[in-house]
Amino acid sequence: MDHFLTLADLTSDDLRGLLDLAIELKKEWRGGGNRPLLQGKTLGMVFQKPSLRTRVSFEMGMLHLGGNSLYLSPFEIKLGERESVPDVARVLSRYVDIIMARVFRHSDVMTLAEYSRVPIINGLSDFAHPCQALADFLTIIEHKGQKLQRRKLTFIGDGNNVSTSLLFGAALLGMDFTISGPAGYEFPADVWQIGEQFAALSGSRLTSTQDATEAVAGADVIYTDVWASMGQEDEVEERRKAFQPYQVNEALVEQANPDVIVMHCLPAHRGQEITDEVCDGPHSVLWDQAENRMHAQKAILVELMS
Ligand code: CP
Ligand code: NVA
């Protein structure tokens, strides 16, 4: 693996390998025995958007591995404004050993990868959030076991960066995937096609429906995300109206399997896409998910640097 930009670049073996490494690193961390696998290495973190989890979990991950990290805020680099994206890649990759970037346009993270001398990690773009999905599948394995075949993940929301990465991951791992949201907010056809190509190999079943109750029937995992992603601020009102019937509340969760787990990448807009009762209720695994960002990303860092 040269870069980590989207799960669509991985094989199912690559994804399984990363998950196994994350499990191993988490076990070591729990036992208080972090290995300094990235001693003396520095991660450069370029942010065009705000973050809690991505920033802190990458920084802590590098600390555990014996390395350092540099936080570069949206106001410092001004990627593509103060300096072109290729020039940022050329310069930054002369200083640091690996780069994580959170960008608006996915094409910018691809351009960074093209011009960088060191590996690039996508810390969220408008197309994909692969670090999140890796942490999410780690969380699903912890709660549901290693065998994901015939397990069902239902995403309630739009075809966005988070659901795209979940679609690719589920289809690679042989997990069934259903998405439910209002008309006009589905995945673009090319995204669905990639999912179907993976599903044809793994045996996973992919479905899309506007009926949220039908979507959660038999679900082992219900996942939701904000109705308007960062960069879609001018669509907030329109989306709030369209997605109102798609709130993940107790009534919806009751339609799924009794031992369903509920997931959200966070930050959550409590009272909109998910209720307090569900966030803080018995099915919620939200905090495990947030912690697992750190373990999953340590696996990505170690894999890319080895
Ligand atoms: N889930 C996630 O990426 O959180 P942040 O935006 O806080 O990094
Ligand atoms: N879809 C959300 C995820 C935030 C972690 C966004 O892009 O804003």
Side-chain angles (χ1 to χ4, degrees):
M1 240 168 47
D2 294 332
H3 304 284
F4 187 77
L5 305 184
T6 159
L7 294 191
D9 293 338
L10 304 187
T11 63
S12 56
D13 284 347
D14 292 333
L15 183 51
R16 276 284 178 188
L18 282 170
L19 288 165
D20 289 346
L21 181 56
I23 291 167
E24 190 185 320
L25 293 169
K26 182 169 182 178
K27 210 183 272 171
E28 288 176 8
W29 170 82
R30 276 215 170 118
N34 289 318
R35 274 178 296 157
L37 296 168
L38 300 185
Q39 186 94 50
K41 302 289 184 197
T42 298
L43 168 74
M45 303 194 294
V46 178
F47 282 91
Q48 280 190 325
K49 303 177 185 175
S51 167
L52 166 61
R53 281 145 290 272
T54 305
R55 186 212 166 150
V56 181
S57 57
F58 265 108
E59 269 198 50
M60 290 308 297
M62 282 305 285
L63 265 181
H64 295 171
L65 295 166
N68 300 299
S69 51
L70 278 179
Y71 171 69
L72 298 157
S73 82
F75 309 105
E76 280 160 299
I77 293 199
K78 291 184 184 272
L79 192 69
E81 282 176 53
R82 183 169 182 267
E83 209 161 354
S84 77
V85 179
D87 286 358
V88 169
R90 289 179 176 115
V91 173
L92 192 55
S93 66
R94 295 283 180 121
Y95 300 135
V96 301
D97 303 288
I98 182 160
I99 296 168
M100 187 279 295
R102 166 167 284 196
V103 300
F104 283 102
R105 288 194 304 256
H106 187 73
S107 59
D108 283 346
V109 89
M110 290 172 70
T111 305
L112 286 173
E114 189 180 340
Y115 291 94
S116 170
R117 286 184 164 189
V118 302
I120 301 288
I121 298 171
N122 178 5
L124 182 147
S125 66
D126 58 358
F127 173 67
H129 199 358
C131 297
Q132 181 68 52
L134 190 66
D136 296 335
F137 287 108
L138 173 59
T139 310
I140 293 170
I141 287 171
E142 286 175 346
H143 287 272
K144 297 289 171 194
Q146 286 279 359
K147 203 176 158 293
L148 297 178
Q149 234 92 19
R150 297 279 74 84
R151 291 282 191 185
K152 178 178 174 185
L153 191 171
T154 297
F155 186 91
I156 304 289
D158 66 333
N160 69 8
N161 44 11
V162 169
S163 53
T164 293
S165 293
L166 291 169
L167 167 73
F168 294 162
L172 280 165
L173 296 168
M175 204 177 172
D176 293 347
F177 179 93
T178 297
I179 185 163
S180 186
Y185 293 97
E186 299 92 350
F187 288 118
D190 54 341
V191 167
W192 195 249
Q193 248 168 28
I194 296 173
E196 283 191 326
Q197 280 165 15
F198 290 143
L201 296 174
S202 71
S204 96
R205 285 178 298 207
L206 310 180
T207 49
S208 172
T209 168
Q210 286 172 29
D211 183 336
T213 307
E214 179 192 315
V216 299
D220 300 292
V221 180
I222 296 176
Y223 199 121
T224 192
D225 185 9
V226 292
W227 293 334
S229 288
M230 291 181 277
Q232 295 175 330
E233 286 73 16
D234 53 344
E235 295 176 34
V236 165
E237 274 319 308
E238 181 192 318
R239 283 171 171 266
R240 201 191 301 247
K241 280 188 209 127
F243 282 91
Q244 205 62 58
Y246 293 89
Q247 183 186 64
V248 175
N249 51 34
E250 281 176 312
L252 187 68
V253 172
E254 273 170 24
Q255 307 301 314
N257 284 348
D259 62 350
V260 66
I261 57 171
V262 176
M263 305 181 77
H264 191 307
C265 55
L266 303 174
H269 291 167
R270 287 167 175 252
Q272 292 185 31
E273 76 275 2
I274 191 165
T275 59
D276 282 329
E277 290 73 22
V278 173
C279 278
D280 304 323
H283 299 282
S284 165
V285 298
L286 268 49
W287 323 120
D288 291 345
Q289 249 185 294
E291 178 189 316
N292 281 338
R293 289 293 301 278
M294 187 168 69
H295 308 299
Q297 288 157 194
K298 282 166 73 178
I300 299 166
L301 290 162
V302 169
E303 177 61 31
L304 287 173
M305 298 294 291
S306 61

